[in-house]
Amino acid sequence: MDWKLLVCLTFLLNVWGAQTNVDWEVQRYDGWYNNLAHHSTGTKDSKFLRLNPASYSDGVYEVAKEPELPNPRIISDVVMKGQSGLASPRNLTVLGVFFGYHLLSEIVSTEHCACPAEFLNIYIPGGDKVFDPTNKSNVVLPYQRSKWSPGTGRSPNNPRDQVNSVTTWIDGSSIYGSSHSWCDALRSFSGGQLASGADKQFPSNAKSSLPMWKAPDPSTGQRGNEGIYGFGNAMANESPFLQAASIVWFRYHNYLAQTFMERNPDWTDEDVFQNARKWVIATYQNIAFYEWLPIFLNSSATLYSGYKQQTDPSVSSEFRAITSQVLYSMMPSGVYMRNRECQFRNNVIGLDGQPRPALRLCNNYWNRQNPNLQNGADVDELILGMASQIAEKEDNIVVEDLRDYWYGKMQYSRTDLSAFSIQGGRDFGLSSFNKVKKSSGYTPLQGWQDIQNSEIRENLSSLYNNDIDKLELIPGAMLEINGGLGEFVTNLILEQFIQIRDGDRFWFENNKNGLFNQTEIDQIRNTKFHHVLLAVINATDKDIQDSIFQWKAGDPCSQPSQLRSDELEKCVPLTVANYFEGSAAGFGIAITALCLLPLVSLLLAYGIAKSQEKAFNRFQKKIHSTGINEAKGGEGFPVTEWCGDGEPNQQVLIKFLPNRTITVSDTRQTKTRTINLQNQQKVNVVLSNSDGDRALCLKIPKEYDLVLFFDNQGERTSFVHKFNELFNGSGVTPSLLELNEKSLLKESFSKKQRREMLETFFRHSMSHVIAIQRADAGELQQRSVRDALKSEISREELAELLGLDQRASFVDSLFSLADKDKNGYLSFKELCFILAKLFKGKADEKLQFLFAMHDSNGNGTLTKEEFSRMLRSFSEISHYLSPDQTEKVIESMLNEAGFSSRQEITWDEFYSLFKDHTSVLDSTTLLSQGSEAGTPSRNAVGNVSFISKNNHRNGPTGNISTVEHEGQELRNRGNNRTNYNVNQRQIYTEARREKYERNKLRQKIQQLKRWVENYRRHIVCLTIFYGISAGLFAERGYYYGFASPPTGISQSTYVGLIVSRGSAACVSFMFSYMLLTMCRNLITFLRETFLNRYIPFDAAVDFHRWIAMSALILSILHTLGHLVNVYIFSITPLSILGCVFPTVFTDDGSEYPQRYYWWFFETIPGMTGVLLLLVLALMYIFACYHFRRVSFRWFWITHHLYVIFYVLTIIHGSFALIQQPRFHIYFIVPAIIYVGDKLVSLSRKKVEIEVLKAERLPSGVTHLKFQRPSDFDYKSGQWVRIACLSLGTDEYHPFTLTSAPHETSLSLHIRAVGPWTTRLRETYNNSNSPKLYLDGPFGEGHQEWNRFEVSVLVGGGIGVTPFASILKDLVFRSSINASIQCKKVYFIWVTRTQKQFEWLTDIIRKVEEKDTNDLLSVHIYITQLAEKYDFRTTMLYICERNFQRVQNRSLLTGLRSVTHFGRPPFVDFFKSLQDVHPTAKKIGVFSCGPPGMTKNVETACRKLNKKDESYFVHHYENF
């Protein structure tokens, strides 16, 4: 009878009797609840059973190593090495061997390694023929310890126990997988079948989600999922032979499913699948236990007596080790293939393409594309060949395909399976061979003589130091196998299978589990593997023997011969993979690209800045051109003047005047250069003949050349034509030359060159006249000296050197007197003669010089007009005096001298007028810019004080009164008011120069002390902040260095991990709490609380910068740490990465890690990290001072990327690659506070504010007066942010309010210093007043001025702005008799010249008029005049005194306030305040201006606070 037909009939009967529904308890895939008393028994990842106590060197988990135990490779060479080709005496077939191997994988799996990774590497002896043929003596075969139960390995009472990755039950887990999801991935969900590929005879390729082992092919290096089929056994694709055994059961399931579906078409897919699965498992159990096992062991098991719940089915470590070694010893070097006609293939294609008699085992591990197995028929031939081929002899010898050329781990393509198994026994803590035998009831070896093979006996004795009790289980058991397994091995294996059978509630013979009835059980018991094969391959019962696992005489198709290794193709030798091969260049490029992000951002910022500068220059040019067109009245040439390399060009207007004179004026007509060519006999003009022919250079002897750029060649031609007309009839013809533009500029003598030469030479000239060290005068080359000596100074250059207006009468008079040869220039000889006379002359000589300057006709008398012109020249420095006021000063001086009726003044009369001031004149010099002044005696001249060379630390003494005192008298004379507490004591306000400490060390010490004293609150806060940051860094570093979770990441990348994690914690903290520094509304509120005593809220912006820079450094450190990590992870095997990143990687045997670019660009942390670096580069580069000043709009835009930055940061950490997200821990609280603060600002920003008045003031100041919102409450000294959408941008800029809180409107004084403020100034003209958007107010330290009984306000430069509001508020409160704590306010205004910030002078003037209670004392310090303390200013002081007596206000400012020339003596001034106000416990000092000034104020406060007197509380802000 046809056995195939018999099988079909059998299952037809089965179908009739099968249940129509799945009404039995379906067995779980993971083994749970098989034992209802002990639910986890036999489950996946359950512990291996130990037949003997663990044998670890420390009793816990440590493994004994050399020399305590021999090298595994040497043991392998001694015990397992031998000749292949010895047939099994019992004629066991190769198919039976691989069925057993498949069965072993059903109940045992140890391919997964421990986490964290631990290694017991096998060191190869030098000169090993396979692994170290070149005798390098450094070859190491990696062995990674097996996965173990987390709750074990903690003490000798609880040693390490390894876990089994599959269930211990024979439940078809090698067919269906050991989890429900695994099984679902294998199913087609159609007809109850397993999913097949294009060829229905093969399973589908394994999906990436399937945990199939995907080791690389050691022969070809192929990797990936291609050619890896989906099975329930993860290792099923290890070789074509194990793969074929797995395909048999895949086909068998689908065969049964199809049969069931045909007979029961109404069944669901699940019904069909579960019925087929149940029968496949039962058949598998029956074949394994009742067919294969008796043949394999040559011993039958006892009959099944029923389910025993108390039986432990756990697989023992000893069983696993011995069973696998027995199977390894029986595996041949190659496997035959044959067809049904018993024709064995002799054309099996090898790797070299040559025909071979069989498939070589060593060259077919993890083979993806085997040319010999292309279809189902090829697999059938392989199965038939395996059924006919006799296995290797059951002995201690293992073929070289396993012992020398087993597929390797990690970088190594090959390893020694026998050595690997021996090392695995040590990893599992297996006891010695004798201990295992003894515990199992067998007689142990009494000595080495019990080993029959003498050669092996001697070698092993030597290796184990002649101690037979040290002989390990695997080599000992292998030596007992010789043609049969022996009693010990047989019983150990048999007992294990019996325990599995008896402890399995779902065993097919258990008629109490509801799976099968007795008839079905009997049918299953009669099914053999022969029947299964006939159902799934193209063969009949005549083509294959009945007993598949054993070939007997008379069975069909005997093998040609027993295969030997030397008959087959050579095994591909060991190769060592370099995981980073081919990645070095790309990795370097990636790092370079990251490093270039700041450079790219810098170039982008530079380009934008240049574009903004050009746009701003075009805007200014447009404005200037408008001014030029208005000024020229249709005459002249508007052109661009080149001033030298590195100097900005300027727009000028060229006019031609009679007498061959040319004027060069700036756009505002404030500076004019006059070029007189009347006496020039030769005039050279150089024209450019390149770059559009737009440049022209006019060579001017004794001066710098005039280099002009025209808009086009036509304009230049018109200019040349007009220039030539100047010389018509003069006999002089201008010489025209042509050069390219570059050469023209190179040959030109520029304004910059002229200025540098004259300045340095002038200093050297002065060094001969006054006591200036030559080293301080500047170095001159000899050629430069000669050039300078030949040069002469024009009128304009003289005015510039003296710091005067070139149109001033004083300049005309001085120049006319000094120009002896009347050639229109001053030689340096003429200039030095005048300078020497003025510096070293007596008072009468200086007055005589002044008299001669203004005696225009030289008759020895000054007319009244000449005298008046002289005085007017002194007053030209002041812009506050009207002509009428000037005339009154002149009349008052003449009347005082008794000359009111005289029309002329003789020299004697002139001298008598100034003789009272000879002491001052003796110290007077004629100084230019940059020279040191001689110092006059201290003089009390009304509201004026002079610079004193001495510090006068003890204040004024003798009969010299202080400036404040006499100035107060002058005010009292006009207003009859009393001063607050100054009648008894006087305020010291005399201007002085601070002594400069030349000792470098003392400078540093003084600077350090000053810094510590000034910033104590800052230091404390920064110490706390950075202390927290350091603590976070240390905590994360310690955690990942010494206490991290057992993933093994710290062992993989120690330094990179600590650096990246520590810096990440710091960066998270810093970037989160940096948000608080931007909560302006919160800061304004908190600074009104007691916290302001301890936290410098006014330094929020500085703190923001400090945090930003620190976070940037740490971000770079974080990036460097991750670069190290990426490199290490790119060369770390997947088995280790699977431990380190269990949520990202699965150890599937493929070993090859992801390339560097995957980490950079294909992961969420990597990609967001790159984007974060880009955002940081943009934000930080555009936040630099230069780019912020030039292109504030882009600073505004890039800084608003912070939203994207925080989003990316949250995403960056959410992937939990290394740790669970922690950024939210730091971020949530600051983010909530910041959002709340931002909502407050947004509620204000949406309201448009109408501008009531826009006024363009001098010094580039724009005064804006705008509507005050009804709910806008503020304090004097606070600031706001405004935006003007009419400028085409919504960016906000901060400005201090100059209006007082009592005023119904708000006002700002904005100086045009940049593109935005300049465009704002031009926007608010008389006919255009666009609306504003307002945000604020925001607080700062100056608003606390009214908390002190006495307050001192110190403003320098633009820093005076906050005090405008304070001064008005003070006077208003006083005028309405409001309750105010402050009784006296001293306002010190330090300015370079009284011409700066004229608008503040107007405010002070109004405040003086309203100050009825005399609360305010104003002192103005003009520092520029102190530097120019010269003959001209001496005469001005004299005029100032007379003017003060007549007008009761300053000649310079027009104010009643005290005016000084020099720098404030803060120490002496504050000390005198302690004397004048002895009852004031605290005096508030509020300074705003340049850092140098605020530091001087802070130094003075600190010095005086050391004394037990009034305490000075200093608040400052720098601009």
Side-chain angles (χ1 to χ4, degrees), residues 279 341 404 978 1026 1058 1094 1193 1344 1423 1442 1469 1505 1518:
W279 281 87
E341 288 74 26
D404 290 337
T978 59
Y1026 285 110
I1058 291 177
Y1094 311 102
R1193 172 62 178 169
E1344 299 181 0
T1423 59
N1442 284 276
F1469 178 77
N1505 284 343
N1518 292 329

Side-chain angles (χ1 to χ4, degrees), residues 1323-1376:
T1323 299
Y1324 283 99
N1325 51 42
N1326 295 330
S1327 60
N1328 185 22
S1329 295
K1331 294 183 178 181
L1332 296 174
Y1333 285 88
L1334 181 68
D1335 181 23
F1338 304 109
E1340 59 182 7
H1342 304 115
Q1343 69 186 56
E1344 299 181 0
W1345 64 272
N1346 57 355
R1347 296 187 179 183
F1348 299 91
E1349 184 178 354
V1350 178
S1351 293
V1352 180
L1353 313 179
V1354 183
I1358 193 63
V1360 300
T1361 307
F1363 302 122
S1365 175
I1366 294 175
L1367 295 179
K1368 291 192 287 185
D1369 188 28
L1370 167 68
V1371 174
F1372 172 77
R1373 293 189 185 191
S1374 174
S1375 64
I1376 63 174

Side-chain angles (χ1 to χ4, degrees), residues 1181-1369:
I1181 292 298
F1182 279 94
C1184 294
Y1185 173 76
H1186 173 73
F1187 297 116
R1188 189 173 71 248
R1189 180 179 59 84
V1190 175
S1191 53
F1192 185 86
R1193 172 62 178 169
W1194 283 93
F1195 159 73
W1196 176 269
I1197 293 173
T1198 55
H1199 240 56
H1200 275 72
L1201 292 175
Y1202 75 89
V1203 177
I1204 298 176
F1205 173 81
Y1206 284 112
V1207 171
L1208 289 174
T1209 302
I1210 293 172
I1211 297 174
H1212 182 69
S1214 64
F1215 195 62
L1217 192 61
I1218 295 179
Q1219 66 177 16
Q1220 291 300 315
R1222 294 171 57 90
F1223 180 68
H1224 65 279
I1225 299 175
Y1226 312 102
F1227 182 69
I1228 290 178
V1229 174
I1232 293 174
I1233 296 174
Y1234 175 76
V1235 170
D1237 189 271
K1238 198 70 174 178
L1239 290 175
V1240 173
S1241 294
L1242 289 175
S1243 65
R1244 295 190 297 253
K1245 290 180 179 179
K1246 295 180 180 179
V1247 181
E1248 286 187 322
I1249 307 297
E1250 182 180 358
V1251 176
L1252 304 177
K1253 179 182 179 182
E1255 185 179 5
R1256 292 158 60 107
L1257 302 177
S1259 299
V1261 176
T1262 303
H1263 174 216
L1264 297 181
K1265 184 178 181 182
F1266 47 94
Q1267 182 181 353
R1268 177 176 178 175
S1270 58
D1271 59 345
F1272 190 89
D1273 295 325
Y1274 70 100
K1275 297 181 179 180
S1276 55
Q1278 291 186 331
W1279 58 280
V1280 296
R1281 299 165 67 238
I1282 64 169
C1284 181
L1285 298 186
S1286 298
L1287 299 181
T1289 173
D1290 60 349
E1291 61 194 54
Y1292 280 77
H1293 291 257
F1295 299 100
T1296 303
L1297 288 168
T1298 55
S1299 56
H1302 68 274
E1303 295 178 344
T1304 58
S1305 60
L1306 302 177
S1307 65
L1308 297 172
H1309 285 77
I1310 303 172
R1311 190 181 184 191
V1313 293
W1316 192 87
T1317 51
T1318 301
R1319 288 190 291 125
L1320 183 75
R1321 178 176 173 83
E1322 296 302 321
T1323 299
Y1324 283 99
N1325 51 42
N1326 295 330
S1327 60
N1328 185 22
S1329 295
K1331 294 183 178 181
L1332 296 174
Y1333 285 88
L1334 181 68
D1335 181 23
F1338 304 109
E1340 59 182 7
H1342 304 115
Q1343 69 186 56
E1344 299 181 0
W1345 64 272
N1346 57 355
R1347 296 187 179 183
F1348 299 91
E1349 184 178 354
V1350 178
S1351 293
V1352 180
L1353 313 179
V1354 183
I1358 193 63
V1360 300
T1361 307
F1363 302 122
S1365 175
I1366 294 175
L1367 295 179
K1368 291 192 287 185
D1369 188 28

